[in-house]
Amino acid sequence: MGVNFSDIIKQCHLFSGVTAEDLPLLTAILRKREFSKGKILFEEGSEADGFYIVASGKVKVYKLSSEGKERILHVVQPGNSFAEAAIFDNGCYPAFAETLVPASLLFFPKREFLDLLHRHPQLAINIISGLSRFLREFTIQIEDLTFRDVPARLARYLLSFGGDVVGEVELPVSKSQLASNLGTTSETLSRTLRKFSDDETVSVRGKKIEILDWDRLQDLAERFKEA
C-alpha cells in the first residue's frame, strides 16, 4: 500500500496535460498488478484488453524473428506507459512484453478507458500527443539503424542517459539485451566498449559506465556511416 497513483500518472507523458480534476477519474478505473521477474504480460497478436504504466520495476517490449531471435524494441522504466497504441489499432498487441525484474504495474482496462475518453475529450488529445512521441522515437531508431554505425548508436544511447554533463550511468538492461536493442551482436558491442575505454572516452565497470569525455562521445554520436 502507500502508492500514490496520481503521482505515478502525472509522471507519464501520456497524461502530462491532465488536470487535478481528471486524476480521480483515471485512478478510479485502474488496477494495480504485481508481477515477478520474467512474467510474460502479453504476446504478439493476442487481444489487447488494456495498457500499462510502470509504477516500479522494468518491462521489456520485444519481437521474435521466425528463428526465435529476440529484438528488443524498448525497455519501459517507471513512470512510462506501454501497449497504449494497441487499444486504438486493430485490437491486438503488436509485440511481446515481459518483466525484467519484479514490477508493480498500473493496468488501464480498454473498455473503461475508452469510455472515459468519450466523456473527457481532453484526455484523447493527451493520448495523441503521447503516441506522437513514440512515433518520433521509432523514427530516430530506424534512422540510427540505417545511417549510423555501432559506435555512433552506442554513443547516442549513453548520451540519452547522461544529458550534457560528464557522469556515470547504469545500463537498465544486460549487455546482450543492449546489443539486441542497438541492432548488433554482443561481441561487437563488447569490442566497441573496449575501444571507448581504450580511448578514455568512457570507463566501464560491469553495467556502470562513466562518461569521461562528453565532447568526444557527442562527436561519435553524430557520425554517420561511410557510403
Side-chain angles (χ1 to χ4, degrees):
M1 305 301 291
V3 176
N4 191 316
F5 296 146
S6 293
D7 287 345
I8 297 171
I9 290 172
K10 286 188 293 186
Q11 292 178 37
C12 181
H13 61 270
L14 284 180
F15 302 121
S16 59
V18 301
T19 65
E21 291 74 22
D22 291 325
L23 291 172
L25 301 174
L26 291 165
T27 58
I29 66 169
L30 69 82
R31 303 168 188 170
K32 184 171 180 286
R33 295 181 172 178
E34 303 284 345
F35 297 97
S36 58
K37 176 182 177 180
K39 173 65 177 179
I40 303 294
L41 304 173
F42 52 77
E43 298 183 356
E44 182 176 358
S46 60
E47 182 179 357
D49 57 354
F51 70 96
Y52 299 84
I53 295 177
V54 178
S56 66
K58 291 181 288 190
V59 174
K60 66 176 178 179
V61 178
Y62 63 97
K63 282 182 171 287
L64 293 177
S65 69
S66 57
E67 294 80 22
K69 185 177 181 180
E70 183 179 290
R71 172 74 168 92
I72 296 177
L73 302 178
H74 53 276
V75 174
V76 190
Q77 304 285 345
N80 292 316
S81 60
F82 63 99
E84 61 271 49
I87 70 172
F88 298 104
D89 194 10
N90 62 1
C92 294
Y93 291 117
F96 293 81
E98 178 183 338
T99 54
L100 287 172
V101 296
S104 295
L105 307 179
L106 306 186
F107 176 72
F108 290 82
K110 175 179 179 178
R111 181 177 300 176
E112 289 91 331
F113 185 73
L114 293 181
D115 287 344
L116 188 60
L117 292 186
H118 284 300
R119 297 194 304 271
H120 299 273
Q122 183 59 44
L123 288 177
I125 294 174
N126 293 334
I127 290 294
I128 292 172
S129 176
L131 293 178
S132 297
R133 177 178 177 273
F134 279 126
L135 180 60
R136 289 196 299 272
E137 289 178 352
F138 280 117
T139 300
I140 292 171
Q141 186 178 49
I142 292 171
E143 177 186 284
D144 283 352
L145 291 173
T146 304
F147 298 112
R148 288 188 167 87
D149 57 18
V150 174
R153 290 180 229 160
L154 177 58
R156 285 167 66 86
Y157 180 84
L158 294 176
L159 290 173
S160 72
F161 288 91
D164 59 354
V165 295
V166 175
E168 186 176 80
V169 299
E170 184 169 357
L171 300 179
V173 296
S174 68
K175 289 178 182 176
S176 62
Q177 290 170 330
L178 175 58
S180 174
N181 198 32
L182 295 178
T184 188
T185 64
S186 297
E187 293 77 11
T188 299
L189 176 64
S190 294
R191 285 197 299 270
T192 304
L193 280 171
R194 282 198 301 271
K195 181 66 165 57
F196 282 12
S197 182
D198 291 343
D199 293 342
E200 297 185 343
T201 303
V202 303
S203 174
V204 182
R205 297 188 304 279
K207 294 178 69 173
K208 292 184 177 181
I209 299 178
E210 183 181 3
I211 299 175
L212 303 176
D213 190 336
W214 187 88
D215 289 335
R216 175 164 173 74
L217 202 63
Q218 186 178 44
D219 289 341
L220 287 167
E222 296 304 318
R223 188 175 68 186
F224 286 82
K225 293 179 181 178
E226 295 183 1

